[in-house]
Amino acid sequence: MNIPINPAETAALGQPPKDVQHYMRAGTLGLPALPPLSLYIHLPWCLKKCPYCDFNSHEQRSQADGGVPEQRYIDALMADLEASLPLIWGRTVHSVFIGGGTPSLFSPDSIDRLISGLRARLRMEPDCEITMEANPGTFEKERFRAYRHAGVTRLSIGVQSFDDRFLQALGRVHDGAQARAAVQEAAEAFETFNLDIMYALPGQTEADLVRDLETALGFHPPHISIYHLTIEPNTYFAKFPPVVPEEDTAYDMLDRITAMTGAAGMQRYEISAYAREGHQCFHNTNYWQFGDYLGIGAGAHGKLSFAHRVVRQVKLRDPQRYMDAALAGRALASDEDVRRKDLPFEYMLNALRLRGGFAIQDYLDRTGLPISTISAALDEAERKGLVLRQHGRVTPTERGFDFLSDLQALFLGDA
């Protein structure tokens, strides 16, 4: 699928792929086995850029300008994947996550073509979890069922709120009625689906949050991801900050969230995720357990392990430039080994988000480092009452969960 390119044009493209032997050379780590492998696919277009969003998302072109170039972008994704295959040769893909942007801008036929292309090129688990993000603003009746027929097994719906006041404050393109209709359709089409909800919104009270959660829980969702609104750099909200609830009020909201989801039979298995038994998201859990993931698409990030190193990759960010480069076999923006001294913090940044913590053996296997690289930090964390160590596991305490950033920062040392 590669196309000839003029050498004078290569500066506008990304890096050429490295030979797999480059990744297999000797290094300072010794990984006894490779972790589970997932695939992340980024579809970067959305109807409108939300004022809080710092993701690589771009407003779709007008129909007069051709709209979203679905077919060319999928061609680019397949070329990107094919260029990356030598790095994951022989490995099984356990989960796929199609994120954005707003992937549900793509037609069911395009998603069908995408998933068929993956299955033709990858060894995938028979019950591979395939999640796709969708927004109520792109919802049409029967559309979600069509995605299910295309091979999507799990839908993640960006509801954020069911209250029109807060949807407007967040710059969402849907209203509460559309959100409820979309969730109802998802509940009928999918055995497993997720609702994204946000709290500590501009002008929101605890009573407002309770009403939102009551509405969400009324649909009996198998999984809810609940995020505190944060003001990220380089967003509209960073330039024009809204007035949001004070920190103490936000903590009270979180306590209410945990109580209400627990009463509804959902467990908080990750700092921002609540699920019924058997409905935890494998893909995100693999991130948090420091598993591997290949990233394809504009601006997609990836993490891949080899015998003597852990590598992070990023693909070119601009969609047009990405398509040109991927079709030429040069989609990489950066490709770097994770430094040995950074691995303990990177591991803890993920693993300590899990309610069940991590097994010491998993730390050794996933980083290739000895336990001595985290012993002092673990001792300090235990002394401060932030973790509990027993039966070969490290588990955040309630206090550790409440002060997660402080706990993770203890591991910012030299390995």
Side-chain angles (χ1 to χ4, degrees), residues 147-392:
Y147 290 133
R148 181 72 180 90
H149 184 72
V152 175
T153 66
R154 182 178 182 274
L155 207 66
S156 184
I157 310 170
V159 172
Q160 315 313 350
S161 175
F162 292 94
D163 189 314
D164 289 346
R165 292 174 298 161
F166 304 120
L167 290 170
Q168 188 173 22
L170 290 173
R172 303 296 288 175
V173 298
H174 66 273
D175 59 24
Q178 288 173 308
R180 287 185 284 272
V183 176
Q184 183 62 46
E185 181 90 1
E188 294 171 0
F190 289 86
E191 293 179 6
T192 294
F193 63 95
N194 171 64
L195 302 185
D196 270 355
I197 303 291
M198 298 180 77
Y199 74 99
L201 306 178
Q204 188 179 44
T205 66
E206 191 171 333
D208 294 326
L209 170 69
V210 167
R211 281 191 294 273
D212 251 353
L213 266 185
E214 286 174 342
T215 301
L217 293 170
F219 290 102
H220 306 288
H223 191 288
I224 300 182
S225 299
I226 305 182
Y227 302 103
H228 186 297
L229 173 64
T230 54
I231 309 301
E232 301 290 353
N234 303 315
T235 62
Y236 180 86
F237 275 177
K239 278 187 174 182
F240 307 99
V243 178
V244 296
E246 294 183 357
E247 193 170 307
D248 288 346
T249 302
Y251 274 121
D252 291 341
M253 289 180 174
L254 181 57
D255 288 342
R256 184 62 71 95
I257 289 166
T258 302
M260 291 179 69
T261 51
M266 307 182 81
Q267 296 297 317
R268 187 186 188 189
Y269 72 100
E270 188 267 342
I271 193 73
S272 300
Y274 304 75
R276 300 186 191 280
E277 186 63 34
H279 290 278
Q280 293 87 350
C281 176
F282 178 87
H283 187 89
N284 286 344
T285 300
N286 192 40
Y287 287 159
W288 301 321
Q289 292 177 335
F290 213 55
D292 278 358
Y293 52 99
L294 173 66
I296 62 173
H301 289 240
K303 170 202 168 265
L304 297 173
S305 300
F306 299 90
H308 302 293
R309 60 190 25 83
V310 175
V311 174
R312 289 205 179 274
Q313 295 184 331
V314 182
K315 302 299 171 66
L316 290 170
R317 184 177 177 87
D318 176 75
Q320 185 59 55
R321 186 180 172 202
Y322 166 78
M323 286 187 284
D324 292 343
L327 290 166
R330 300 171 65 98
L332 268 178
S334 67
D335 178 292
E336 303 289 344
D337 288 7
V338 180
R339 296 183 302 178
R340 178 186 171 94
K341 70 175 186 177
D342 294 334
L343 275 168
F345 178 67
E346 287 216 13
Y347 183 91
M348 296 303 172
L349 199 61
N350 291 279
L352 291 173
R353 292 176 62 95
L354 289 168
R355 201 73 186 90
F358 65 94
I360 291 293
Q361 188 61 49
D362 285 344
Y363 173 80
L364 307 180
D365 291 346
R366 301 289 166 90
T367 66
L369 298 175
I371 188 62
S372 59
T373 55
I374 56 171
S375 294
L378 283 177
D379 290 343
E380 179 71 3
E382 192 170 34
R383 186 184 67 78
K384 292 183 174 181
L386 300 175
V387 299
L388 181 65
R389 282 191 283 186
Q390 58 182 4
H391 310 304

Side-chain angles (χ1 to χ4, degrees), residues 4-35:
I5 56 175
N6 185 326
E9 296 173 344
T10 58
L13 303 180
Q15 302 175 16
K18 296 174 181 173
D19 188 275
V20 69
Q21 295 304 317
H22 170 82
Y23 301 98
M24 301 303 294
R25 71 193 191 282
T28 61
L29 306 179
L31 275 65
L34 301 182

